[in-house]
Amino acid sequence: MSTLELLDEKLIHPPLIPNLSGWKRFCVEFLFFGIKEARACLFVGLFFLSIFIIPKSGLLGIPRYDVLFIIAICIQIGMVYTKLETLDELKAVMLFHIIGFALEVFKTSANIHSWSYPDFAYTKVLNVPLFSGFMYAAIGSYIIQAWRLLDVKIYHHPPYTFAVIVSLLIYINFFTHHFLGDYRWYIAATVLGLYARTTVIFTPYDRERKMPMLLAFILIGFFIWLAENISTFFGIWKYPNQITSWSMVHTGKWSSWALLVIMTFTITIFLKHIKKTVYIPK
């Protein structure tokens, strides 16, 4: 077992402090929750750190987008090599990469032009840099890692058939709303009905805590929206209204990210070691 694996074990099964109660318990649980969340965001954190430190002009003559692509691959290889991520989990992350990249190609096409990647890169395919898929893969990586570290269990999850259908509708609507109208809020209303009773159980320290699954989707979507604002501020990609000067990403994108989280979550639960902790009411 590698040193990093041992550290993960220490996080999952920390040494217990006797007679812990009151504000001391709150502080300890909050601390461990923060540490576990930071650890689950390892891929996300390292990737976005590279966005901050790699200059717009690139590095050693290599364009910025290409450097980011190389860094993303190195992070992924490092996580598998250190056994912080299994090969099965890597396959899921790569699936998120493909799904995200396909969406990027469509959204940046000349007819749609929802956003653009203005910089030159050797690793651009159909005007989309290959690193962009890793931004979607980062969401899947976070969910997989957080599930294990926080010993997540899901109660009253809707039947898989309904969850899959809604996820497909979410993804399809990202494409078809340009031609057939945006049915996002109808889908969101369906999501509210499906997941109204769904509860996520997680263990920050030694006791199980719970929160509504819908709240988890909203919170994760919010932090992705913040990351999107940071990325556009650094000019990684730009929306049409940001071409001349930066402005905050519209809050409507928050709902889009929350829906995308639901789709990513649905794919994630089909991993064998995760599906066992999802409970569907009979």
Side-chain angles (χ1 to χ4, degrees):
M1 184 176 288
S2 69
T3 303
L4 291 176
E5 283 182 289
L6 287 171
L7 289 174
D8 271 5
E9 282 299 311
K10 288 288 186 181
L11 275 180
I12 297 171
H13 305 290
L16 302 183
I17 302 173
N19 304 319
L20 195 61
S21 61
W23 68 270
K24 290 182 180 179
R25 168 167 287 279
F26 172 80
C27 291
V28 170
E29 290 202 22
F30 188 79
L31 174 64
F32 271 89
F33 178 75
I35 293 172
K36 288 183 178 183
E37 283 288 294
R39 163 61 188 86
C41 290
L42 181 63
F43 183 93
V44 181
L46 291 174
F47 185 70
F48 276 94
L49 178 63
S50 65
I51 288 177
F52 302 149
I53 63 176
I54 301 300
K56 183 176 176 62
S57 57
L59 193 65
L60 301 175
I62 304 174
R64 175 169 61 163
Y65 292 164
D66 297 331
V67 175
L68 292 174
F69 179 58
I70 294 169
I71 290 173
I73 291 176
C74 289
I75 296 171
Q76 200 66 75
I77 291 173
M79 290 185 68
V80 174
Y81 179 77
T82 56
K83 298 183 179 178
L84 296 180
E85 192 171 82
T86 68
L87 288 175
D88 282 342
E89 290 168 349
L90 176 62
K91 292 174 185 176
V93 168
M94 288 300 100
L95 177 60
F96 300 137
H97 186 289
I98 293 169
I99 290 172
F101 185 78
L103 182 62
E104 289 283 331
V105 170
F106 175 79
K107 290 289 190 178
T108 58
S109 63
N111 293 332
I112 305 301
H113 198 64
S114 295
W115 57 80
S116 62
Y117 292 89
D119 297 351
F120 168 80
Y122 295 105
T123 54
K124 266 188 174 181
V125 176
L126 300 176
N127 293 318
V128 178
L130 290 178
F131 84 85
S132 65
F134 281 103
M135 294 187 290
Y136 297 85
I139 303 171
S141 176
Y142 162 75
I143 293 175
I144 291 169
Q145 298 293 326
W147 208 304
R148 179 173 61 85
L149 293 165
L150 290 165
D151 190 24
V152 171
K153 302 178 182 67
I154 306 295
Y155 286 90
H156 297 110
H157 188 277
Y160 290 130
T161 301
F162 294 154
V164 169
I165 290 173
V166 167
S167 295
L168 287 173
L169 290 174
I170 289 170
Y171 190 63
I172 291 170
N173 188 69
F174 284 134
F175 294 87
T176 59
H177 82 84
H178 294 282
F179 314 107
L180 303 178
D182 190 357
Y183 294 94
R184 178 192 327 175
W185 299 114
Y186 296 99
I187 298 171
T190 304
V191 166
L192 287 174
L194 275 181
Y195 290 92
R197 296 180 60 225
T198 306
T199 303
V200 54
I201 309 295
F202 58 99
T203 306
Y205 183 58
D206 62 339
R207 293 183 183 177
E208 290 185 337
R209 304 298 180 184
K210 64 180 180 180
M211 70 183 298
M213 191 75 249
L214 287 170
L215 179 58
F217 292 148
I218 292 169
L219 288 175
I220 297 171
F222 173 72
F223 284 107
I224 297 172
W225 176 75
L226 284 181
E228 182 178 36
N229 273 282
I230 294 169
S231 298
T232 55
F233 179 79
F234 281 90
I236 300 299
W237 71 88
K238 292 182 178 181
Y239 288 98
N241 65 315
Q242 297 174 326
I243 298 298
T244 55
S245 63
W246 181 82
S247 60
M248 184 177 290
V249 177
H250 193 278
T251 51
K253 293 292 181 180
W254 180 358
S255 63
S256 298
W257 283 116
L259 290 172
L260 188 68
V261 169
I262 295 170
M263 187 188 77
T264 306
F265 169 81
T266 302
I267 296 172
T268 302
I269 65 175
F270 280 90
L271 290 171
K272 289 183 180 179
H273 71 286
I274 285 177
K275 200 171 181 181
K276 293 176 183 177
T277 64
V278 178
Y279 303 96
I280 300 175
K282 301 296 184 183

